[in-house]
Amino acid sequence: MIPLLPEATARRTVPRTSRRTGRPSVRRPAIVAALCAAALAVTGLTAAAPPGRDTGRAAAALPYQDPSLPVPQRVADLLGRMTLDDKLGQMTQIEKDALVPQSDLATYRIGSVLSGGDSTVSPNNAQTWADTYDSLQRTALATPLGIPVIYGIDAVHGHNAVRGATLFPHNIGLGATRDPALVQRIGRAVAEEVAGTGIDWSFAPCLCVARNDRWGRTYESFGETPELPTAMTSFITGMQGSALGGDPASVLATAKHYIGDGGTTGGVDQGNTQISEAELRAVHLPPFQKAVERGVGSVMLSYSSWNGVRSHAHKYLVTDVLKGELGFTGFVVSDWAAVDQLDGQTGFTGAEIATAVNAGVDMVMVPHDYRKFLSLLRGEVSAGRVAMARIDDANRRILTKKFQLGLFERPLTDRSYTATVGSAAHRALAREAVRASQVLLKNDGGILPLPKTGRLFVAGKSADDIGNQSGGWTVGWQGRSGPVTEGTTILQGIRGAVADPSRVTYDRYGNGIDGSYTAAVAVVGETPYAEMRGDRPDGMGLDQEDLQTLSRLRASGVPVVVVLVSGRPLDIAAQLPDWRALLAAWLPGTEGGGVADVLFGDHAPTGKLPMTWMRSASQQPVNDGDGKSPLFPYGYGLTYGTGPGPDPDPDPDPVPVKACTATHKLVNSWPGGHQAEVTVKNTGTSPVTGWTVDWELGGATVTSLWNGTHTVADGRITVRNTSSNGSLAAGAGTSFGYTANGSAGTPVPRCTPA
């Protein structure tokens, strides 16, 4: 074990600074490096010379410790000083709770620590998280080369492992906002809260394109078409800043899960995505391509397979496409124990590790048996089955991000951000996001917005439950019902919105309602779940408690307004006729007041469906443009119509003109095929209610098309709008995309308005 010197007696040599503030903090003295070397001699690991040992210069004089030098030069200098054990340690990520004793972090040169979904601290608050981070970081800095760790966590809808943090709507709700600028602001807020606990790496955003709502991770998707997740990569810019490390609260973002996890057959988690390469490129690749363009620092691979080959073993997809074709320069991290799954057996093997690393995995999320992992990886390198060039490439990618983040200069928590965790400003932003995510699906007779002076009856298991409305990945991997964290429930939001809270009656099960109420608000839906446990291979409807509650409300004769709290569309067509209104609230997080903002008309609903809403579960998978007849189409969403109307007597009288244009753009090409996007714009002065675009294919054959329906005759393709994108106001536009075999040529599409 490596002894740690008490802070009170540690000598101060070259000052180090607290991460992101520049404030001085304690640097381990030179004696720690000597103690490390002695301990390593006992363990049999090879120690590099401590900084400055062979020249006598101060440690900061070494090139890799000089922040004025270019990052590539610093990386090259450090890489040249590292032993094989140093390098293998950098490629290893371990669960915090598996680190026993903590000194193993230095002994085994571990490069990264994470907290899994159920890993926490006690007491669970921002201060304890920051203290824990700093303790681990000081241990890492005590190694001869003083390479800091990078700490990862799943901050997927806010800093959701920390009790009291601001929890934003899950991605499905953010997709409904159709607002990339809002999502970028959320990314910035999450980064501040994460930085306030010391952590410098978040496993977000999820850029999956969910194509089957039975999948238990559907709520982690921004939407079912590639355009929505692609647009919402703005979250990456919010989290990292315009340049990694250039922002005071820059946190490394992760594009996950590469690739195709939302397209598995049957929506089975960790399943097999059985589609052509053309469809994989058209549907699932675009969000990752955009993430790379935005400079995302890391990419996490998917547990799933593509046509029977697991992503963690797929060199073509990881090395050739991601790193080669897309030009990704960050590092690739495995998912939790995913490398251990490659042979279908429990326990690491050297062959599994070699396969993953050679496929392009740079850092392995072990997460527990790090000693065995390192021994096996060392054996594969020694035997020549993993080349040193591959080890150096992985280290170069990892170290580059550590330098860019400023971890070598500012390794400790910036405590000025600790107070932002759960701050009023972040909660206000979350409330804004909640109201923007609400999708009004039914409003018979204009029952919404509700009057603030009415007498209301509120029921349902999710009306007064912060855990239910926050969903999975909330202070625990699977989440749970109940008061798991601080926030405002939907019931509290309703009571806060009305003129007299005493006129709001609540009973979870709907007992005690009579005909004297203005309306009954039923807050029903799913209870928390996450991956694996969230799959719904059978029915997708409401549970018996919800159905019985709704039955009691309906029997009273009071108009029923349903607020659906769920991580995906549910099978509710049979019950819908009994409801006067239906509001899809998704999983709003901690700020239930945003739901009330819409219910009472302080803000009109503006959300649009990010997923096609099934008519029945038997339709799954159901997606835009597939020819099926859904209950509500992709992009559907009502509002209250509170905006100003047109001038009743314009002068001079306009002459309405209908006209539209179509512009063809080549998005991607590969040997034997291509992907293109066509933008349709209403260039007239009158709204159009539909459009048709046609052009000569020039010998190409269309293999898939989205956001439109098409026919081909005599070598000419005709594309018609779907029910969700046919209506275009003057000056408005929309787009559709397709993949095809053959050359794109130079199409000249013609647009005809309806």
Side-chain angles (χ1 to χ4, degrees), residues 2 22 67-68 121 146 158 177 225 304 345 351 457 525 539 542 638 658 680 702:
I2 299 173
S68 69
V121 297
T177 70
T225 66
S304 61
Q345 304 295 317
F457 193 98
L542 298 171
L638 305 172
K658 288 189 175 184
V680 179
V702 172

Side-chain angles (χ1 to χ4, degrees), residues 502-648:
S502 69
R503 291 174 63 80
V504 176
T505 301
Y506 168 68
D507 182 85
R508 171 172 173 160
Y509 304 102
N511 295 317
I513 189 172
D514 58 35
S516 65
Y517 291 92
T518 307
V521 179
V523 189
V524 296
E526 295 184 302
T527 51
Y529 58 84
E531 56 191 306
M532 298 170 62
R533 301 179 196 173
D535 285 3
R536 296 189 69 168
D538 300 314
M540 299 184 68
L542 298 171
D543 63 24
Q544 283 303 306
E545 179 184 330
D546 286 344
L547 294 173
Q548 291 169 6
T549 300
L550 289 164
S551 179
R552 294 185 189 102
L553 300 180
R554 184 180 68 252
S556 71
V558 174
V560 177
V561 173
V562 171
V563 175
L564 196 62
V565 173
S566 67
R568 54 192 148 199
L570 296 181
D571 189 346
I572 45 84
Q575 293 80 41
L576 186 60
D578 296 329
W579 308 340
R580 286 282 297 277
L582 171 59
L583 187 70
W586 312 112
L587 298 171
T590 54
E591 307 312 305
V595 178
D597 288 340
V598 172
L599 285 174
F600 293 96
D602 292 322
H603 294 270
T606 57
K608 305 295 181 185
L609 282 182
M611 310 283 180
T612 301
W613 201 290
M614 75 193 96
R615 189 170 295 277
S616 72
S618 64
Q619 283 188 315
Q620 291 294 338
V622 54
N623 293 289
D624 187 48
D626 62 9
K628 298 178 182 178
S629 176
L631 187 62
F632 300 108
Y634 173 85
Y636 184 84
L638 305 172
T639 190
Y640 297 150
T642 55
D647 184 347

